[in-house]
Amino acid sequence: MTSLDVLGIGNAIVDTISRAEDDVLVSADLIKGSMALVDEARADELYELMGPTTVISGGSAANTMAGIASLGASAGFVGKVKDDEAGREFTHDIRKAGVVFDTPAADDGAATARCLIFVTPDGQRTMNTFLGACQALQPVDIDEEQVASAKVLYMEGYLWDPPGAKQAFLRAAKVAHTNGRKVALTLSDSFCVGRYRSEFLSLIRDGVVDILFANESELHALYETADWDTAVAALRAERNLLGVVTRSEKGCVVATRETLISAPAFPVEEVVDTTGAGDLFAAGFLTGYTRGLPHEKSAALGALAAAEIISHVGARPVKDLLQLARDNGVLA
């Protein structure tokens, strides 16, 4: 088994992205900036409201693994697709990105997951996800040898929606810790935090999670406070936790009990689509982390990767991130 820098476990999703004015969201009764779970009928209904679309493989943790591979580190992904056209497209795309992906496709059951994303003129994305085959991910899909080989196991909060995936998450985390590896969790979405707040806090406080990624709104939802300083203080009060919180144009903070580091955002000429910004920030940070770089340097790498992703439509990098990092002096 080849050793990996990071192994991600998440929902394997094909994104369908369309530009939309705010009134389209209102007419479809969508909450701007949110991620809603929808059934197949609702997904079809929303698809009919979309204008011209861009179809590209996505999924939060999968996007992060693609970013890690683009930065020259080794990444693997575990997620469930169906053996259908979308599933084959997802498999092709993630392997083409340089990510190890060996999870067997489902022969029957629900179709491969898709996410319908409406991008408004301000770059905000409103996501509507049909989980489909993702819900077939089970503990049996976890390759313990592969988990043990990875320096960091990275999992998305969205895994908490399908019951089988939740059990796969817990099994993988146990294997990782048994083998002296670190476990990272991204909170994924403030509405996801709203659904599972107490369970996420238990994961942190029971020592299941070593590294926590969140954005500002997710952190506020986790600690049920609108005050930034109060939320950060609560994060820093957690034992043995490395917290990494993105703040859009305000950059990010990297927090432990002992230290609090602020790092700036990377400048970007135009925000085209924020889909995947947090995913790619995590890719940069984890690449730096697994290389043993200082947190400031890892944060800079995350900021650069996030800046690349918001400059175009889609949540997978279109530029060579390693070369970009070298060109900007972030990596040697």
Side-chain angles (χ1 to χ4, degrees), residues 12-151:
I13 298 173
V14 175
D15 291 340
T16 301
I17 306 167
S18 178
R19 296 194 167 283
E21 298 297 328
D22 287 353
D23 59 356
V24 173
L25 304 187
V26 173
S27 68
D29 198 25
L30 299 175
I31 301 171
K32 185 174 178 177
S34 69
M35 195 292 284
L37 296 176
V38 298
D39 60 19
E40 198 159 7
R42 174 65 166 160
D44 290 341
E45 178 186 309
L46 291 172
Y47 181 73
E48 290 303 315
L49 294 175
M50 290 182 137
T53 61
T54 299
V55 179
I56 186 169
S57 294
S60 177
N63 294 336
T64 299
M65 296 309 107
I68 288 169
S70 183
L71 282 161
S74 57
F77 178 70
V78 177
K80 203 74 172 177
V81 297
K82 187 180 182 181
D83 185 13
D84 54 18
E85 185 179 350
R88 289 187 287 274
E89 181 177 353
F90 179 93
T91 300
H92 170 272
D93 288 353
I94 197 162
R95 288 177 177 168
K96 201 75 174 175
V99 178
V100 176
F101 177 56
D102 297 324
T103 311
D107 294 322
D108 50 24
T112 294
R114 56 185 168 137
C115 183
L116 307 178
I117 304 175
F118 294 83
V119 181
T120 40
D122 58 1
Q124 276 292 311
R125 79 279 190 268
T126 302
M127 302 186 293
N128 304 272
T129 304
F130 165 61
L131 283 175
C134 288
Q135 297 180 90
L137 184 70
Q138 300 291 331
V140 71
D141 292 308
I142 300 301
D143 181 333
E144 294 192 3
E145 192 177 341
Q146 187 182 47
V147 173
S149 82
K151 294 177 186 174

Side-chain angles (χ1 to χ4, degrees), residues 119-242:
V119 181
T120 40
D122 58 1
Q124 276 292 311
R125 79 279 190 268
T126 302
M127 302 186 293
N128 304 272
T129 304
F130 165 61
L131 283 175
C134 288
Q135 297 180 90
L137 184 70
Q138 300 291 331
V140 71
D141 292 308
I142 300 301
D143 181 333
E144 294 192 3
E145 192 177 341
Q146 187 182 47
V147 173
S149 82
K151 294 177 186 174
V152 175
L153 176 68
Y154 177 83
M155 298 187 281
E156 57 184 69
Y158 290 137
L159 283 171
W160 232 243
D161 286 311
K166 180 187 296 192
Q167 296 308 311
F169 178 120
L170 293 171
R171 179 183 177 190
K174 186 174 182 180
V175 171
H177 280 150
T178 298
N179 288 276
R181 306 306 195 176
K182 297 293 186 182
V183 175
L185 167 70
T186 176
L187 290 181
S188 296
D189 177 275
S190 58
F191 295 90
C192 184
V193 177
R195 291 193 293 276
Y196 305 114
R197 177 182 174 272
S198 62
E199 291 176 76
F200 287 164
L201 283 173
S202 293
L203 290 175
I204 293 166
R205 291 168 181 170
D206 293 344
V208 177
V209 171
D210 306 299
I211 306 168
L212 182 72
F213 288 92
N215 64 27
E216 205 165 349
S217 63
E218 291 157 6
L219 189 72
H220 288 309
L222 184 67
Y223 292 112
E224 295 185 307
T225 176
D227 182 70
W228 167 250
D229 291 334
T230 301
V232 172
L235 179 67
R236 295 185 68 193
E238 305 291 1
R239 287 186 303 160
N240 303 317
L241 183 72
L242 173 63

